[in-house]
Amino acid sequence: MSFSITEYKERIRKTKERMAEKGIEVLLLTDPANLNYLSGYDGWSFYVHQMLVVMLDEEQPKWIGRGQDANGAKVTTWLTDDNIIPYPDEYVQSDLKHPMDFVADRLKEFGKDNCSIGVEMENYYFTAKCYQQLTKGLPNATFQDATLLVNWVRLIKSDAEIEYMKRAAKIVEKAMQAGIDLIEEGVRECDVAAKIFYNQITGTEEFGGDYPSIVPLLPSGEKTSTPHLTWTDDRYKDGDAVIVEIAGCYKRYHSPLARTVQIGRPTDEMKTLSSVAVEGINACLDMIRPGIAAEEIEETWRKTIEKSGFVKESRLGYSMGLNYPPDWGEHTMSIRKGDKTILQPNMTFHLIPGLWLDKYGFEASESVRITETGCETFAKLPRDLTLKGHQLLK
Amino acid sequence: MSFSITEYKERIRKTKERMAEKGIEVLLLTDPANLNYLSGYDGWSFYVHQMLVVMLDEEQPKWIGRGQDANGAKVTTWLTDDNIIPYPDEYVQSDLKHPMDFVADRLKEFGKDNCSIGVEMENYYFTAKCYQQLTKGLPNATFQDATLLVNWVRLIKSDAEIEYMKRAAKIVEKAMQAGIDLIEEGVRECDVAAKIFYNQITGTEEFGGDYPSIVPLLPSGEKTSTPHLTWTDDRYKDGDAVIVEIAGCYKRYHSPLARTVQIGRPTDEMKTLSSVAVEGINACLDMIRPGIAAEEIEETWRKTIEKSGFVKESRLGYSMGLNYPPDWGEHTMSIRKGDKTILQPNMTFHLIPGLWLDKYGFEASESVRITETGCETFAKLPRDLTLKGHQLLK
């Protein structure tokens, strides 16, 4: 297991505290990160339905999942075997039986069919059908939206979690440098992606890497005008800019990092865009400290870049740490106007002041930890536009 | 784009045919594979809400997604710019506004608010909250479950799709061999995973690889008793068995493959288990041909292995091809009792007769295409338990 049983139990205690505040007696969790956070469960089994059931009056949560994954739950969680409940394979991707029918039947057995039940209404792994089947199967229960209840418990990291994110940062530094070193005119995009992947997973000599929740995002040339393209077999051309947005991951904890690489001579526009963005991120890092609101960071950024006439419509960052595909963000605090979350030590977020214009874009991001007096970045790599290619020789 | 516009239009035609049969006037698609299949859209943006809207009376579908991803839609789809509709960033992961509110408003503008609307109730990317907001925003519409409607259109592949899966097979052969070559006593699991990743993504000299929808599954030792564990920093020990389940991927098309590697001397139980499983898969490959029902394959498998006293409770395989994380399966045909889908040429599936016992397991799988007269496997690699280590020297 990745953490001490004491730490898992403390997480359960905090979760129950919030359940009690909201009048939730039974919490049905489907977010794989929340399963991992409370039980330790880890496996690529979230493509079928699985669940962690937290009951106010039970010490341990119960894991419910596919039969063939029950041994995985025994290997990776701190739960006793009687709290690991497998469902038969006939419930998997079937027209006739839905795993939530099985869950409803179990809740009846536990005498929890007329309770107040919390469900994660806005989560990839709780489909519209899940909700429909559960409410049909448990007509006497009352349902409450408990989306993000556990995610908010995850907001402030323990020292053990911070240590994992520092290891993830060591991995991302290595992977980013490997990517930057390889990017040159004539090199295929897929070969750069492969090199980055290799470094993300092999990690360091002391510790290996886990798979990040998002694959390398590697738009180049005009494709830098949009952030979420991956890669192709195309070869880089002289003059291309390449955005590299990746993370290191250690035991499901992430340290994301973005940098922009310029092959050959940058245009004047790119020089301006990149220096404005870096000035903006530096201004943010100078002012971030406990006690301020998340939206104040965005205000600093906005005022810094608007002097040069730039505007960024999308949010500037978000809380992150533990997660599974398809996202490493925690979906709680966002760094944007209106988010009044007060920063506290050991909050961690991805500060990503990407600027995407019509024909090109620039990203330089940092994973940040709030310290007792200010903040620190997890990775330590120069933020400026990284120049590669022949202009260095002139 | 990955396919000709003619091919995309033919896919739209088939989709509309099924919509008409079911009385669906507007189809709201959220499955990223279905977005890709009909429009070409490709990007790691499915972690926020996005949608393809197919209307019976409109030639082109409409893409609705996050503002910063609209340029990605322009780059990767065949849609004209007026059919690419971005929503503002304030809808992203917000308590106040939900992207489905934006979708409902657009449908009102299109005059489609009192139509029969099909939604994918059972899809990772259509949450319970999505359904709640849509039905609230469109009280005069009637909603129908259109889960898998497009997935069933995807069941029979075109020749162009088969060509992509053949390329994916070349990649998986290379990645599997690289993994097998590296697995030895004393090697870290993460280093094997990294080597496999590298080969999956770098692909061949002729074509690069795309990211498979599932990361390498690499359980070893006792962990082979469960199929969905990934890897750790642990070093392999003499006597360990290692299951390697991976895919090659080319332009989002997959060829999955599983093999089992034995480090050192296999136990008698493992020898029996592996030979029974391989006998079973061979018996299936001998009988698979167009015109039989999917469940007949399972019957052949069951009767072959029960002679040796083995039972497999989980399904034997599933249709696959185009997909995005978290799954490469298409969620349509399953190879199991009760599935009466009749096999036709150019159906493709992953035949995965894994056997997981209490303390160990064995997997050897094949990606299979139905031909005019029988079937063929995409990859060509020996199926038997792969022996590595010192016993070879004796």
Side-chain angles (χ1 to χ4, degrees):
Chain A
M1 275 181 311
S2 304
F3 299 94
S4 68
I5 290 190
T6 318
E7 184 154 345
Y8 288 113
K9 288 193 173 168
E10 175 61 11
R11 297 170 178 184
I12 297 275
R13 190 192 62 73
K14 286 183 188 160
T15 300
K16 286 186 177 173
E17 208 170 82
R18 285 178 189 244
M19 287 169 63
E21 279 166 21
K22 292 178 186 288
I24 295 170
E25 295 166 272
V26 176
L27 179 60
L28 304 183
L29 297 169
T30 45
D31 182 335
N34 292 338
L35 267 68
N36 178 300
Y37 188 71
L38 296 180
S39 76
Y41 183 69
D42 184 34
W44 191 291
S45 53
F46 39 85
Y47 72 93
V48 296
H49 293 298
Q50 54 186 20
M51 193 172 259
L52 200 70
V53 184
V54 183
M55 304 185 194
L56 267 191
D57 57 2
E58 288 273 347
E59 198 201 331
Q60 287 190 14
K62 293 179 192 295
W63 179 95
I64 301 179
R66 188 179 184 180
Q68 62 184 230
D69 296 317
N71 275 345
K74 288 178 190 170
V75 169
T76 61
T77 74
W78 60 277
L79 310 182
T80 47
D81 286 1
D82 56 315
N83 285 317
I84 292 170
I85 305 170
Y87 62 75
D89 221 61
E90 65 201 23
Y91 285 92
V92 174
Q93 296 169 7
S94 155
D95 280 349
L96 308 171
K97 293 185 170 193
H98 193 281
M100 291 307 130
D101 305 338
F102 182 90
V103 169
D105 289 343
R106 293 296 79 66
L107 289 179
K108 282 179 204 159
E109 272 179 18
F110 305 153
K112 301 294 184 190
D113 51 327
N114 54 3
C115 278
S116 164
I117 296 178
V119 289
E120 296 175 301
M121 294 294 285
E122 180 75 341
N123 186 271
Y124 312 109
Y125 302 101
F126 191 71
T127 63
K129 180 85 173 177
C130 283
Y131 185 58
Q132 221 172 37
Q133 292 304 108
L134 264 185
T135 48
K136 205 162 82 180
L138 296 166
N140 300 321
T142 57
F143 285 87
Q144 249 193 70
D145 189 358
T147 304
L148 303 182
L149 184 147
V150 176
N151 304 51
W152 281 107
V153 176
R154 284 159 44 199
L155 187 66
I156 296 176
K157 273 68 184 174
S158 71
D159 291 341
E161 290 178 290
I162 295 292
E163 174 57 27
Y164 285 1
M165 293 174 75
K166 287 186 173 170
R167 292 184 184 190
K170 290 276 172 236
I171 294 171
V172 79
E173 285 175 352
K174 196 170 162 241
M176 179 64 77
Q177 196 59 56
I180 289 172
D181 288 348
L182 189 58
I183 291 172
E184 286 295 356
E185 185 182 351
V187 170
R188 296 190 306 177
E189 293 179 15
C190 59
D191 293 328
V192 172
K195 191 81 179 285
I196 290 170
F197 261 120
Y198 179 82
N199 281 278
Q200 285 173 317
I201 307 304
T202 196
T204 72
E205 276 185 34
E206 293 77 39
F207 45 83
D210 204 346
Y211 58 90
S213 297
I214 304 180
V215 298
L217 302 173
L218 273 182
S220 68
E222 279 204 13
K223 291 177 285 187
T224 56
S225 64
T226 185
H228 295 121
L229 299 182
T230 49
W231 60 87
T232 70
D233 312 0
D234 293 347
R235 291 177 191 277
Y236 293 114
K237 296 187 302 291
D238 180 49
D240 277 353
V242 185
I243 292 177
V244 184
E245 184 182 344
I246 59 176
C249 185
Y250 182 76
K251 291 187 190 286
R252 309 304 324 131
Y253 282 82
H254 292 76
S255 279
L257 191 71
R259 289 294 182 264
T260 303
V261 181
Q262 173 68 50
I263 303 171
R265 201 175 296 280
T267 61
D268 289 344
E269 291 84 357
M270 179 57 103
K271 281 187 204 163
T272 308
L273 185 70
S274 61
S275 66
V276 168
V278 171
E279 189 191 342
I281 190 169
N282 289 345
C284 293
L285 291 171
D286 281 347
M287 61 75 73
I288 294 173
R289 62 184 188 281
I292 65 169
E295 65 174 359
E296 292 178 60
I297 308 175
E298 193 277 337
E299 195 187 348
T300 297
W301 158 261
R302 187 165 18 94
K303 291 191 169 159
T304 308
I305 67 165
E306 77 187 6
K307 288 183 283 187
S308 311
F310 286 102
V311 176
K312 176 181 164 64
E313 283 174 9
S314 50
R315 63 180 178 173
L316 190 67
Y318 47 81
S319 185
M320 59 81 210
L322 169 70
N323 222 337
Y324 283 85
D327 197 6
W328 54 49
E330 290 178 332
H331 299 193
T332 50
M333 177 185 68
S334 281
I335 298 175
R336 64 178 157 195
K337 209 170 173 173
D339 194 315
K340 301 192 185 300
T341 312
I342 299 297
L343 302 187
Q344 297 177 61
N346 275 5
M347 284 186 185
T348 54
F349 53 87
H350 188 204
L351 186 66
I352 176 160
L355 286 169
W356 303 283
L357 308 186
D358 263 2
K359 294 289 175 193
Y360 65 107
F362 176 85
E363 280 182 48
S365 80
E366 295 292 350
S367 289
V368 174
R369 176 177 85 92
I370 308 294
T371 62
E372 292 299 324
T373 54
C375 74
E376 66 176 8
T377 61
F378 280 96
K380 322 283 180 197
L381 277 185
R383 258 162 235 142
D384 296 322
L385 184 65
T386 307
L387 301 176
K388 291 287 307 261
H390 61 78
Q391 87 289 351
L392 297 175
L393 304 172
K394 286 179 184 168
Chain B
M1 273 180 313
S2 304
F3 299 94
S4 69
I5 290 191
T6 318
E7 184 155 345
Y8 287 113
K9 287 192 173 168
E10 175 60 12
R11 296 169 178 184
I12 295 277
R13 190 193 62 72
K14 285 184 189 158
T15 300
K16 285 185 178 174
E17 208 171 83
R18 286 179 188 244
M19 286 169 64
E21 278 166 21
K22 291 179 185 288
I24 295 171
E25 296 165 271
V26 177
L27 179 60
L28 304 182
L29 297 168
T30 45
D31 183 333
N34 292 338
L35 267 70
N36 178 301
Y37 188 70
L38 295 180
S39 77
Y41 184 69
D42 184 35
W44 191 289
S45 53
F46 40 84
Y47 72 92
V48 296
H49 293 298
Q50 55 186 19
M51 193 172 260
L52 200 70
V53 185
V54 183
M55 303 184 194
L56 267 191
D57 56 1
E58 289 273 348
E59 198 201 330
Q60 288 189 15
K62 293 178 192 295
W63 178 95
I64 301 179
R66 188 180 185 181
Q68 63 183 231
D69 296 317
N71 275 346
K74 288 177 190 171
V75 170
T76 60
T77 74
W78 60 277
L79 310 182
T80 48
D81 286 2
D82 56 316
N83 285 318
I84 291 170
I85 304 170
Y87 62 76
D89 220 63
E90 64 201 25
Y91 286 91
V92 175
Q93 295 168 8
S94 154
D95 280 349
L96 309 171
K97 294 184 169 195
H98 193 280
M100 291 307 131
D101 304 339
F102 181 89
V103 169
D105 289 343
R106 294 296 78 68
L107 289 179
K108 283 179 202 159
E109 271 178 18
F110 306 153
K112 300 294 184 191
D113 52 326
N114 53 4
C115 280
S116 164
I117 297 178
V119 289
E120 296 175 301
M121 293 295 285
E122 179 76 339
N123 185 272
Y124 311 110
Y125 301 102
F126 191 72
T127 64
K129 179 84 173 176
C130 284
Y131 185 59
Q132 221 172 38
Q133 291 305 107
L134 265 185
T135 48
K136 206 162 81 180
L138 296 166
N140 299 321
T142 56
F143 286 87
Q144 247 193 71
D145 189 357
T147 304
L148 303 182
L149 184 146
V150 177
N151 304 51
W152 281 107
V153 175
R154 285 161 42 200
L155 186 65
I156 296 176
K157 274 68 182 173
S158 71
D159 291 342
E161 290 178 288
I162 295 292
E163 174 57 29
Y164 286 1
M165 292 175 75
K166 287 186 173 171
R167 292 185 184 188
K170 290 275 171 236
I171 294 171
V172 78
E173 285 176 351
K174 198 171 161 239
M176 180 64 78
Q177 195 58 57
I180 289 172
D181 288 348
L182 189 57
I183 291 171
E184 285 295 355
E185 184 182 351
V187 171
R188 295 190 306 177
E189 293 178 14
C190 59
D191 294 327
V192 172
K195 190 82 179 288
I196 290 171
F197 261 121
Y198 179 82
N199 282 279
Q200 285 173 316
I201 306 303
T202 198
T204 72
E205 277 184 32
E206 294 77 39
F207 45 84
D210 203 346
Y211 58 89
S213 296
I214 303 180
V215 298
L217 302 173
L218 274 182
S220 68
E222 278 205 15
K223 292 177 285 188
T224 56
S225 64
T226 184
H228 295 120
L229 299 181
T230 50
W231 59 88
T232 69
D233 310 0
D234 292 348
R235 290 176 192 278
Y236 293 114
K237 296 188 302 292
D238 180 50
D240 277 353
V242 185
I243 292 177
V244 184
E245 184 182 343
I246 60 176
C249 185
Y250 181 77
K251 292 189 188 286
R252 310 303 326 130
Y253 282 81
H254 293 75
S255 278
L257 192 71
R259 290 293 181 265
T260 303
V261 181
Q262 173 70 49
I263 303 171
R265 201 175 297 280
T267 60
D268 289 343
E269 290 84 357
M270 178 58 102
K271 281 187 206 165
T272 308
L273 185 70
S274 60
S275 66
V276 169
V278 171
E279 189 191 343
I281 189 168
N282 290 345
C284 292
L285 290 170
D286 282 346
M287 61 75 72
I288 294 173
R289 62 184 187 279
I292 65 169
E295 65 174 359
E296 292 179 60
I297 307 175
E298 193 277 336
E299 195 188 346
T300 297
W301 159 262
R302 186 165 19 94
K303 289 189 171 161
T304 308
I305 66 166
E306 77 188 6
K307 288 182 282 186
S308 311
F310 287 102
V311 176
K312 175 181 166 65
E313 284 176 7
S314 49
R315 63 180 178 173
L316 190 67
Y318 48 81
S319 185
M320 60 80 209
L322 170 69
N323 222 337
Y324 284 85
D327 196 6
W328 56 48
E330 291 178 332
H331 299 194
T332 49
M333 177 185 69
S334 281
I335 298 175
R336 62 179 157 195
K337 208 170 175 172
D339 194 314
K340 301 192 185 299
T341 312
I342 299 297
L343 302 188
Q344 296 177 60
N346 276 4
M347 284 185 184
T348 54
F349 53 87
H350 188 203
L351 186 68
I352 176 161
L355 285 169
W356 304 282
L357 307 187
D358 263 1
K359 295 287 176 194
Y360 65 107
F362 176 85
E363 281 181 47
S365 79
E366 295 293 348
S367 289
V368 174
R369 175 175 86 90
I370 307 294
T371 62
E372 293 298 324
T373 54
C375 73
E376 65 176 8
T377 62
F378 280 96
K380 321 283 179 197
L381 277 184
R383 255 162 238 144
D384 295 323
L385 183 66
T386 307
L387 300 177
K388 291 287 308 259
H390 62 79
Q391 88 288 349
L392 297 176
L393 304 172
K394 285 179 186 170

